[in-house]
Amino acid sequence: MFWVQLDVEEMLTGEYAEALGMPPDEPPDDQSVAFDAELEGTEEAMYQGLCKGLNEALQLAGCSDLAAYFSDNHPQLSSKRYEDDILLRPEIAMYPTHGRAKSAYTLPIALLETSALKRAEDSEGHASQPSVAGPTNESLDEEVDDGGADVPTEAEILKAQIAWAWMELPIQVKRHANEAAFASVATDDFLPPREAQRRARTQLTEYARECFNHQPRCHLYSLAVDRHLARIIYTDRAGSIVSTPFDYTTSRTLWRFIYKFVKMTAAARGHDPSAPLATEDEEVLFKSLRNSGFQCTDAVRTHLQIATTMGCPVHALNIYAPWSRPGEPLVTLPRTGSTDPSPTTMLTSHRCLIGQPSVKCKSIDGRATQCFIAYDLNEGTFVWIKESWRTSGANMSSEFDIYQDIYKVLRDAGEAGTTARRHFLTVRAGGDVIWPPREADELHDPSLQCRIQKTYTHVFPELRAGGRFVERTPLHHYRLVFKEVCRILPDFHDGYELAYTMRGALLAHKAAWEQAGVLHTDVSVGNILIYDPPDTDERPYGILSGWDLAKTKEMLLERRGAQPLYPGTWQFMSVRRMCFPNTLHELSDDLESFILALRWCIYKFFKHSDSQAPHLATGTFFRYFDECDAGARSVCGLRFRDAVGDTPSGVPAAVLPGETRNLLNFLLARFRRLCCEHYNSPEVLPLWEREGLLADDDENFFGDTLKPPRRVPRSRLWCPIELPVARSRLTDYAEIMRAFEMVVARPPKLWHEETRKKLPDQVPEDLLRALYYPRRCVQHHHY
């Protein structure tokens, strides 16, 4: 996570305040608010005083639309689990007070009654209801006898359940300086290295991630409280800007921030102005589609179930972009030799209803990809929407541009292009997200380009991040609308569908590279989709998506559009790219990623030698796909050994029953042979030599099996044929495509039963995280 520090006065009123959405409004000089937090007691004792002061500030600022609650003991059960299996929960949070939001975070009456009954049993006296500034629980009035023991205390009235979908301002509270996220003084070295303080910073980024995952947001404000000190935090997809610390008990700074926060527009607080809340009628319509059977394929049912999660609101995306005709791809490039402009380049507006995303980002920074099922009100149909934050720059091609290049080539290729075309998603609309026009005529105003949504952390080039100068590149909010609503690869029904789907995705990859000169560079299970054609008996087929990291041949040769050191998804990255991240990405790296995606699915969902031992299976899976080392050679140890042919099990990660009758075993054995030949071929061996990774003995090779060796003994290099390998067969599609064609040519009913039968997930993420994260891996995922 990228952190920069900015003087608090600069953040509130300085030259950067406008860029951060801070209004110029200031509270009257004769107004002030006392934040009387209990500093001498426990951390929990601070919550009540802070909440009371925040609510007094909101009232004094004339705001009745927000209220502060503390909810440390009432997390949202669907929250992602943090380290040590703890559910994420900020100590205090600010929420809207309207009905739809309040129903999501208000604690059940029974829970408050149980708390009141416990107090009555523990005390001989009777509590009386105090005068409380801020929120009240009106629903309690009918349940409480005046002067009775079951009257809620002030602290109970200020309690709420975490509701990420409605959270406006998360607040972290720490009582001890050695547990606070930041240093207690304004110095360049404001990021303390202690483990507890690192965890506190991680919690802040996790809070922001959960808000981004549950709300259409461009940025988020939050507060970090360290005893009597506080810091204001501005977070977007490029990083976080942290104010210098201030004493909120003696200064007016916190009161000034709350006053300005109240005066902000929804967009200034971070909400995406193109995605307001849907009306109540629209929300009822969207949720009713779940049980209507309308266009209801397996994929639509699954995604609607996620989108209409209880307590989560429905938003309406107002998408201003070029839109294609219904069912047709958006093609803005003319045919070869034609000068006719495309009829689909004009900006139009569609209103699409969305709920919770089916694909959520796992990291606060980076591309932060999210995917939704959406209902297009203009056309009365379901569409699939992908949102991400792309790196801007003159030499950077967007995913939309890549699709346009592919569409143009396939359109000019005639019948062959039409056959390959179905293995690509159909882009209906897309481009950088723009602010909604104020007037209808502005839809065609070229000046709209100045209202592109982008990150603003980069506007601080002279600031220092953790004591060092860092220059950042802005990220642009990007949105694509697709015709097809698909299942993801792990949702395959049986072994035949798995192989058939991967063959289809491989056909798309082959067409893009050989005809359009575009290399995907990020093949993974998340980017291989299964499409169920509606109202037809046609078999579901594979689609290759996620072309946002794709490169043309020219970009690869010129090294343009540079990406991070480890571009792509770590679990499916080739061993060559892991060991030599600065080398040119090649076709063989993508083909190896296809093989890894197949192995990943087989080991998770089919019976194998470790199926009866979940902990052993999880350990093997971790060492093959997730393990990495922060040292110079960040490589999964088991995958490294497999690449050089030194895995004693013969077929690592899965030994399936059925021997030669099992077609998945056939694929694993064939592909392992291809990989071992590849890493013993003239294309790769010189890399081992040049980097000094070949050793003449077995020193350190059979040490800790959880870590990759630093050098590969020559005696352990495995060649599957007697003669030296003259050329790697992973440098073209012939062998890997031939293997898939042989397998899918056999009818599903003739497949071995154990091959066809899909089991429940044998390596669930919760078990993997509990056993291995975050102790022995450094994640290099880019989503």
Side-chain angles (χ1 to χ4, degrees), residues 308-322:
T308 55
T309 302
M310 181 73 69
C312 295
V314 175
H315 290 81
L317 291 183
N318 297 308
I319 303 177
Y320 302 92

Side-chain angles (χ1 to χ4, degrees), residues 285-305:
L285 170 64
F286 185 72
K287 292 184 176 180
S288 68
L289 293 171
R290 174 176 166 180
N291 300 317
S292 68
F294 175 69
Q295 298 180 354
C296 217
T297 63
D298 286 348
V300 169
R301 277 191 296 268
T302 300
H303 296 308
L304 279 179
Q305 179 94 13

